[in-house]
Amino acid sequence: MIDLDGGERRTVHRGGAAPVATADGHLLFVRGHTLYAMAFDPDEGMARGLPVLVMDDLAASVGNQEDDDGSAQYAVDHHGTLFYLDSGGGLIENSQLTMLDIVTGDTEDIGGLDLYRDLMMSPDGKMLALSRGPYGEEDIYILELDSGNETMLTRRRSVEYMGAWTPDSKEFIWSQGSDDGSHFELWRRRVDGATPAKYVADMPIGSGAWASDVSRDGRTLLVTVWEGAALKNVHTLDLTAENPELVPFIDGPEDVWGPRFVGEGDYVMYQEQIPPLTHNLFLRRWPDTGAVWS
């Protein structure tokens, strides 16, 4: 609880997210996809007793719940009625990979139902990079489209964000949380799994990062760096340097993200958001000359 007048903070309960205080003196919160309730005194700012399970399979988007990161689809009205969205035992998150032939309209299923997160086709069109698994525990895999063979690139309990293929389709670059959880790191690995993953660079403390795209010559990585949910900027990273460091490329004042090399690699396209809902696409020359086209 936070006192809006004096700013005093008080920890009511640890180990949950998406809290709701009800009029009849209960505190509701989620752990994973489970909803719990505790007796709660708002005047004293104290929860009493042990959490009691209310229901399982609540639809929720959960990150690091120890830091109250996440949201849950439920609400309680002043009569004490609970409204919620049921996740159907988690199956609502399952999906089926399907290839569509845009000429004939034919489709072909790939694999079975699973918790697929993100997909990215290799430059040569022969492989698919995909992330799979519960949020915060997903791993990245490489799927060969012709044979159906799959290689697991990562094997760790951490948030991992899909990244960028190298132009020769031989390596993949991604970002993941550090072991101590203080920052994100960039890693790369051969997609055939023949060699261990290789550390690339640290991201700023308290910031997140997406590896976005690699230049046609394989030297430069475009990275979207964000500070919380409030500010996103685009940086570059020299992949040939011994100790590469981020260099600002497109630095506000608005949120900018998702850069891609386009054409013959002599332009970078990126998105800008002007609050609250205006989105623009921009082109910028590469190497940068300062000229920008909307």
Side-chain angles (χ1 to χ4, degrees), residues 22-69:
T22 67
D24 64 348
H26 288 89
L27 175 68
L28 301 179
F29 61 90
V30 296
R31 290 179 186 163
H33 295 272
T34 302
L35 180 66
Y36 291 90
M38 299 179 70
F40 179 60
D41 184 340
D43 294 329
E44 296 293 332
M46 294 181 62
R48 295 186 171 88
L50 296 174
V52 176
L53 189 149
V54 177
M55 63 171 291
D56 286 318
D57 299 331
L58 180 71
S61 174
V62 294
N64 182 0
Q65 290 187 342
E66 293 296 326
D67 292 334
D68 193 30
D69 176 18

Side-chain angles (χ1 to χ4, degrees), residues 34-285:
T34 302
L35 180 66
Y36 291 90
M38 299 179 70
F40 179 60
D41 184 340
D43 294 329
E44 296 293 332
M46 294 181 62
R48 295 186 171 88
L50 296 174
V52 176
L53 189 149
V54 177
M55 63 171 291
D56 286 318
D57 299 331
L58 180 71
S61 174
V62 294
N64 182 0
Q65 290 187 342
E66 293 296 326
D67 292 334
D68 193 30
D69 176 18
S71 61
Q73 305 307 313
Y74 79 99
V76 180
D77 70 8
H78 63 281
H79 297 295
T81 303
L82 173 67
F83 298 85
Y84 65 91
L85 179 64
D86 191 331
S87 70
L91 292 178
I92 194 172
E93 296 188 48
N94 285 351
S95 52
Q96 171 70 60
L97 292 184
T98 303
M99 292 287 289
L100 168 68
D101 187 321
I102 61 175
V103 176
T104 66
D106 295 335
T107 61
E108 177 186 355
D109 288 346
I110 303 173
L113 290 172
D114 213 324
L115 294 171
Y116 297 105
R117 298 296 181 188
D118 296 292
L119 312 171
M120 186 173 294
M121 189 75 75
S122 62
D124 63 10
K126 297 180 180 180
M127 293 171 286
L128 192 65
L130 57 92
S131 60
R132 191 174 70 217
Y135 182 81
E137 299 179 9
E138 60 269 56
D139 280 295
I140 298 175
Y141 300 79
I142 302 297
L143 176 66
E144 296 179 11
L145 296 177
D146 287 341
S147 66
N149 293 334
E150 192 175 73
T151 301
M152 189 177 189
L153 284 192
T154 64
R155 191 186 299 271
R156 63 196 306 273
R157 294 296 179 95
S158 166
V159 175
E160 293 158 352
Y161 291 113
M162 288 284 285
W165 287 88
T166 55
D168 59 8
S169 298
K170 292 183 178 180
E171 289 189 89
F172 194 74
I173 303 172
W174 70 92
S175 57
Q176 65 186 37
S178 61
D179 289 340
D180 63 6
S182 66
H183 62 283
F184 274 79
E185 302 167 341
L186 291 175
W187 288 75
R188 66 191 299 177
R189 190 179 184 186
R190 286 181 57 92
V191 296
D192 59 9
T195 57
K198 180 181 178 182
Y199 165 82
V200 177
D202 279 339
M203 298 296 98
I205 299 294
S207 298
W210 294 303
S212 296
D213 202 9
V214 179
S215 60
R216 300 294 189 267
D217 59 9
R219 295 179 59 91
T220 303
L221 176 68
L222 295 174
V223 184
T224 301
V225 177
W226 75 91
E227 301 173 15
L231 181 64
K232 302 180 183 71
N233 292 306
V234 175
H235 293 66
T236 63
L237 195 77
D238 184 353
L239 294 174
T240 66
E242 184 175 351
N243 296 299
E245 295 184 356
L246 291 175
V247 177
F249 176 45
I250 308 168
D251 193 6
E254 310 296 347
D255 275 359
V256 290
W257 72 91
R260 292 286 186 273
F261 289 101
V262 295
E264 298 301 317
D266 48 358
Y267 290 93
V268 173
M269 179 178 285
Y270 61 95
Q271 185 174 177
E272 175 191 83
Q273 179 178 355
I274 301 175
L277 295 174
T278 301
H279 293 262
N280 297 314
L281 281 178
F282 288 92
L283 276 177
R284 186 181 292 257
R285 286 192 186 277

